Amino acid sequence: MDSILVKGGGSLQGQIPIAGAKNACLTLMPATLLSDEPLTLTNAPRLSDIRTMTQLLQSLGAEVTSLNDGKVLAMSSHNLNNDTAHYDIVRKMRASILVLGPMLARNGHAIVSLPGGCAIGARPVDLHLKALEAMGAELDLKDGYVHAKAPGGLKGGKVDFEFVSVGATENALMAATLAKGTTVLNNAAREPEIVDLARCLRAMGAQIEGEGSSAITIQGVDRLGGAMHAVVADRIELGTYMLAPAICGGEVELLGGRIDLLASFCEKLDATGISVSESKDGLVVKRKNGDVRAVNVTTEPFPGFPTDLQAQMMALLCTARGTSVLEEKIFENRFMHAPELIRMGADIDVHGGTATVTGVEKLKGAPVMATDLRASVSLILAGLAAQGETRVARVYHLDRGYEHVVAKLSGVGANIERISDQ
Ligand code: UD1
């Protein structure tokens, strides 16, 4: 298994291009199942999660062709020939559940494996299922699979989400585009990826209002057509690379970055003393002279501070002056990076969903290992600031969500390489 070797020290200068958003692409791809006309996505990221979704769609009979070195995905679902999303593929990636709403809406039936547990908590799919039931779906859970039927088609309904879920909002939104009548999604997620999905669905002919707010109204239509859609920039990749000059010093321009995608994160960076400004082509992040200041962070649904940047922010706060309190409110078990950061000399105390981080003068390089995607990249960031060498194992987590991480960071002067164990 490959690992990543980082040698700390040295400030960063230059530009990093930001790719299309993994999480947007993973919900835009299943939207192809809603129509028999082609859907083409541009600005797609080159990631293993995207390849997993490609396999899943192909297993259902969709055609997915990767063009322009993977940046363009040309899809067509004119010949769907299988109604079952099998456990073999679904178990690899929780976002697989996003095929359920579109398949059910288009065909009136679907069988989808339950995704099962995952490293950052139980993550059930009950909200997805309740939303589809509110649109008239009949669901039966058998042998680890959801058997869904909507004889006569889905019907518009009122969905009141008990709490905010990105995936459940996406599934319900896609399903409602082909349901008969009007659907209202209350307490919907407001993430930029939802707004991107709504834009794409509208280009396919869907009637949607209110995306980006917590009430989305969908007027069902008989059929959807084809579309060409550019995937929104990846705000989590953006925030991750914004933290690189914050942690190492220097000045880096993030090409394609937008403040509106990450306003609360930018406010926190500003509070630590890191400067963020807009440029013609994106955002510029600069570490001013002097220490980084401690700051308290609570993760929340958008527009709050994203849980997917909590681990990376913790890496920065490990070297800040003073004590920071990080509260994780979205997932119950998302501090697995803390013990690894402690191995690098960090001072972190975790109690339930709260981590208290007291900055140390210098982190020290160490062999480390991560159990999820964002945790892995937080260890790379910490390694960039540490004295000596850090070896991050289990790189397959990174490959799920960061394309060309070594090229992007070494392009701004980081000392980083990928080591193959063979
Ligand atoms: C998406 C993102 C993920 C991000 C998360 C929160 C994708 C592919 N993944 O995940 O990177 O960390 O949003 O911003 O877009 N929950 C339930 N029942 C459900 C659904 C969710 O209890 O039916 C819980 C989850 O366990 C979690 C919380 O709701 O505690 C929020 O999860 P959700 O917003 O659904 O996350 P995902 O869509 O899975």
Side-chain angles (χ1 to χ4, degrees):
M1 253 186 280
D2 291 2
S3 51
I4 293 215
L5 191 65
V6 187
K7 289 184 189 142
S11 64
L12 307 179
Q13 300 286 338
Q15 297 176 319
I16 299 181
I18 299 305
K22 168 179 87 77
N23 287 351
C25 204
L26 287 176
T27 184
L28 291 163
M29 292 175 74
T32 184
L33 300 170
L34 290 164
S35 168
D36 58 5
E37 288 184 35
L39 173 63
T40 301
L41 300 177
T42 60
N43 197 35
R46 280 77 56 91
L47 300 168
S48 63
D49 271 8
I50 301 300
R51 291 191 286 278
T52 304
M53 184 57 86
T54 298
Q55 275 173 16
L56 178 58
L57 294 175
Q58 287 171 337
S59 76
L60 301 171
E63 288 165 19
V64 184
T65 312
S66 168
L67 304 168
N68 194 10
D69 193 26
K71 279 193 160 179
V72 174
L73 296 170
M75 301 179 289
S76 171
S77 298
H78 66 276
N79 196 17
L80 297 180
N81 54 17
N82 172 23
D83 66 358
T84 306
H86 285 285
Y87 179 65
D88 296 358
I89 305 183
V90 174
R91 71 181 169 82
K92 293 188 197 165
M93 190 179 66
R94 197 185 136 74
S96 305
I97 193 73
L98 294 172
V99 301
L100 176 60
M103 281 213 287
L104 183 59
R106 168 106 174 265
N107 296 334
H109 56 92
I111 304 173
V112 178
S113 168
L114 288 164
C118 116
I120 58 174
R123 300 180 86 177
V125 292
D126 53 319
L127 298 180
H128 299 239
L129 304 185
K130 280 185 198 153
L132 295 173
E133 277 177 333
M135 288 181 232
E138 294 168 12
L139 305 177
D140 195 9
L141 300 188
K142 268 196 303 217
D143 308 324
Y145 281 76
V146 184
H147 294 249
K149 272 192 286 190
L154 289 172
K155 294 176 191 66
K158 191 161 155 281
V159 179
D160 292 309
F161 290 109
E162 275 161 57
F163 52 91
V164 177
S165 160
V166 176
T169 303
E170 292 166 343
N171 234 335
L173 175 58
M174 287 191 278
T177 59
L178 291 180
K180 284 191 191 70
T182 307
T183 301
V184 181
L185 307 179
N186 289 318
N187 202 21
R190 299 161 62 186
E191 269 67 3
E193 293 74 24
I194 307 269
V195 174
D196 204 37
L197 173 63
R199 284 192 183 139
C200 175
L201 293 170
R202 203 178 286 121
M204 293 167 74
Q207 292 192 15
I208 301 168
E209 275 173 32
E211 75 274 15
S213 78
S214 51
I216 307 179
T217 306
I218 305 109
Q219 187 68 49
V221 294
D222 289 341
R223 63 178 297 278
L224 294 178
M228 166 99 100
H229 177 82
V231 180
V232 68
D234 194 318
R235 64 198 166 96
I236 306 302
E237 190 197 32
L238 171 65
T240 301
Y241 290 131
M242 287 171 77
L243 285 166
I247 220 165
C248 296
E251 182 172 331
V252 171
E253 183 177 24
L254 295 309
L255 302 174
R258 281 166 35 193
I259 285 192
D260 64 306
L261 297 175
L262 272 184
S264 60
F265 170 79
C266 291
E267 272 169 34
K268 289 294 173 188
L269 266 195
D270 185 61
T272 67
I274 304 295
S275 118
V276 179
S277 57
E278 292 182 273
S279 64
K280 186 167 72 61
D281 297 318
L283 297 179
V284 176
V285 176
K286 188 174 175 183
R287 176 154 172 181
K288 302 170 202 158
N289 291 332
D291 292 340
V292 167
R293 292 188 292 271
V295 69
N296 296 338
V297 172
T298 302
T299 63
E300 287 169 342
F302 191 85
F305 191 99
T307 174
D308 286 351
L309 284 171
Q310 176 260 109
Q312 302 89 312
M313 189 70 177
M314 186 185 282
L316 173 69
L317 297 176
C318 283
T319 59
R321 180 160 40 85
T323 297
S324 310
V325 178
L326 280 93
E327 274 190 84
E328 174 53 60
K329 296 268 196 198
I330 308 290
F331 294 112
E332 74 269 30
N333 185 21
R334 208 174 193 184
F335 284 134
M336 278 106 53
H337 41 285
E340 301 298 301
L341 290 167
I342 291 168
R343 300 186 62 244
M344 298 176 70
D347 180 350
I348 306 168
D349 197 13
V350 175
H351 280 287
T354 304
T356 306
V357 182
T358 303
V360 295
E361 187 92 6
K362 205 75 192 143
L363 292 172
K364 294 190 181 64
V368 287
M369 177 177 301
T371 39
D372 75 72
L373 166 61
R374 310 301 174 187
S376 317
V377 84
S378 79
L379 298 173
I380 292 187
L381 290 174
L384 292 175
Q387 228 161 30
E389 238 177 57
T390 298
R391 194 178 177 120
V392 184
R394 297 194 177 166
V395 175
Y396 57 86
H397 287 301
L398 275 173
D399 295 336
R400 291 187 49 201
Y402 290 89
E403 62 168 44
H404 308 313
V405 64
V406 168
K408 288 189 181 187
L409 285 172
S410 56
V412 293
N415 193 335
I416 176 169
E417 62 180 313
R418 187 172 180 131
I419 312 271
S420 178
D421 285 350
Q422 267 66 293

